[in-house]
Amino acid sequence: MNWLATARDASAPLIGERRFDMDLPLLVGSLCLLALGLVMVTSASMEVAAGRLGDPLYYMNRQIVYLVIGLLAMAATLAVPVRLWEQFRFPLLFLGFALLLAVLIPGIGREVNGSWRWIAVGPINVQPSELAKLFAVVFLSGYLVHRQAEVKEQWFGFIKPFMVLGPMAWLLIIEPDFGATVVLMGAATGMLFLGGVGLFRFLLLFGSLGGLAGLLVAFEPYRLQRLTGFLNPWDDPYGTGYQLTQALIAFGRGEWLGVGLGNSIQKQFYLPEAHTDFVFSVLAEELGMIGALAAFALLIFVAVRALYIGLWAERAGRMFSAYLAYGLAIMWCGQVLINVGVNIGLLPTKGLTLPFLSYGGSSLVVCCVSLGLLLRIDWERRQALREAANG
């Protein structure tokens, strides 16, 4: 078949002549996190799965399926040139909007715990917000490249991307998904700053977004309750402060070296969402403060490595690749800091997964696609440098 022959002869990671010439620290670090995530999801979910579903390995089996899909998606992403992402940034943006609109339509979207965040595709629930965030970063990367002078010098060039991302953030708020909204707008703000926006305009934007977030909290009673519960969860340990107090108990039980893998007490129906939003608390209980710090350090290493990939791409003059890497790295940093901050009581409780570690198909697959994009960005830079060196 012609397409198969073309694929074999193509210059791309995994199938080209220098197939493994990729950023191995990023790849190995991410694979270690994926393996750790599978272990912790299995440990955190066995009692709940056995009690509610009669199968202690239910969530583990599904996580393995998601992991296989994610790794296949990463391999497929490695074969796609970065220029195609730039060319198709507008269709991808429209697809992100279509998915966010579809999730709000009864009969298409699925409501869980009062939120419309999922679309059922057979036995799998797809979370459109994960894809929308990725597509928004791709769109904004192209905007910063093609409107760079306008962004740096004109107010309108600075405001225009928020005329697009604002409606997307509004759709996320309607679901409601306040955590995804914060990550999206934070990534957009960081990318604009790295794109050359002046400090005054950046501070003005940062202050405006902070004020808007404050209004959203003040106008929604449940968000205000979460905020007050976060400030002193022990005032209502069986109500608004329940999740946080149980998470803090998990950290306290873990001490320095933990109670041992599989020996958590908090995961046994005490800590809600132990295998999703609060998997880091179970990790800290079972592996101790040493294990939690090691996992956190690995998460930060992967995110910082992604930032370096963006820096190297920028120095090589590959600006779209650079902004794309920056955006993905900022999203990872944001989700890690928010999720861990929630688990240790530094931030209000938010339904936001921990990259690579939490249970969930959409989050895991998008993380793997993002990893594939970063590896492809660095691989293309290496190929360009090699071709230049060879004359």
Side-chain angles (χ1 to χ4, degrees), residues 24-306:
L24 289 181
L26 176 64
L27 178 60
V28 172
S30 300
L31 291 178
C32 288
L33 285 173
L34 290 172
L36 178 62
L38 179 60
V39 171
M40 293 314 306
V41 165
T42 302
S43 177
S45 65
M46 290 184 68
E47 280 75 10
V48 173
R52 295 178 180 174
L53 303 168
D55 180 7
L57 301 181
Y58 175 82
Y59 291 110
M60 184 200 76
N61 292 331
R62 289 176 69 91
Q63 188 75 349
I64 290 174
V65 172
Y66 297 147
L67 184 57
V68 171
I69 294 173
L71 292 175
L72 291 174
M74 182 189 76
T77 303
L78 280 170
V80 178
V82 176
R83 58 180 173 78
L84 290 182
W85 290 88
E86 185 176 4
Q87 291 176 5
F88 287 93
R89 64 188 184 278
F90 289 109
L92 290 174
L93 180 68
F94 293 143
L95 176 60
F97 270 106
L99 290 172
L100 290 178
L101 287 170
V103 78
L104 299 174
I105 300 175
I108 298 179
R110 182 183 178 190
E111 184 267 337
V112 178
N113 295 330
S115 298
W116 292 82
R117 300 182 186 176
W118 294 269
I119 296 176
V121 181
I124 297 176
N125 291 326
V126 176
Q127 192 169 1
S129 62
E130 296 291 339
L131 290 169
K133 288 186 296 184
L134 173 62
F135 297 157
V137 168
V138 173
F139 160 75
L140 190 53
S141 299
Y143 178 84
L144 288 172
V145 170
H146 294 278
R147 296 286 187 271
Q148 191 169 37
E150 192 176 339
V151 169
K152 291 181 178 180
E153 299 170 5
Q154 300 179 20
W155 278 93
F156 191 59
F158 169 66
I159 294 172
K160 271 198 297 188
F162 290 98
M163 296 173 65
V164 176
L165 298 182
M168 182 174 284
W170 179 71
L171 290 173
L172 289 171
I173 290 293
I174 291 177
E175 291 185 5
D177 195 344
F178 191 68
T181 307
V182 171
V183 171
L184 172 63
M185 301 308 285
T189 304
M191 291 174 69
L192 284 168
F193 181 70
L194 293 173
V197 169
L199 182 61
F200 173 73
R201 284 183 291 168
F202 173 76
L203 292 176
L204 181 62
L205 172 64
F206 192 79
S208 300
L209 291 176
L212 181 60
L215 289 175
L216 290 173
V217 169
F219 288 146
E220 289 290 346
Y222 82 93
R223 291 194 186 111
L224 192 58
Q225 288 177 357
R226 282 187 175 184
L227 180 61
T228 55
F230 136 75
L231 293 174
N232 195 351
W234 302 103
D235 279 349
D236 189 11
Y238 299 105
T240 56
Y242 180 76
Q243 281 183 305
L244 180 52
T245 55
Q246 297 303 315
L248 294 176
I249 290 172
F251 275 90
R253 291 194 74 253
E255 298 183 350
W256 285 105
L257 299 178
V259 297
L261 186 63
N263 294 327
S264 168
I265 298 297
Q266 293 305 105
K267 68 184 181 184
Q268 299 179 13
F269 300 95
Y270 291 102
L271 180 61
E273 311 298 337
H275 58 297
T276 56
D277 301 341
F278 285 89
V279 69
F280 192 73
S281 296
V282 177
L283 186 151
E285 183 180 2
E286 295 189 347
L287 304 183
M289 185 59 66
I290 301 298
L293 289 175
F296 182 73
L298 188 55
L299 285 163
I300 295 301
F301 168 78
V302 166
V304 171
R305 191 72 182 182

Side-chain angles (χ1 to χ4, degrees), residues 298-344:
L298 188 55
L299 285 163
I300 295 301
F301 168 78
V302 166
V304 171
R305 191 72 182 182
L307 284 172
Y308 270 103
I309 287 177
L311 177 62
W312 295 330
E314 183 177 356
R315 288 176 176 174
R318 311 174 72 87
M319 297 310 299
F320 176 80
S321 297
Y323 291 132
L324 184 54
Y326 287 146
L328 295 174
I330 293 171
M331 278 206 307
W332 281 356
C333 286
Q335 287 193 216
V336 168
L337 294 178
I338 291 174
N339 182 278
V340 174
V342 167
N343 275 254
I344 63 178

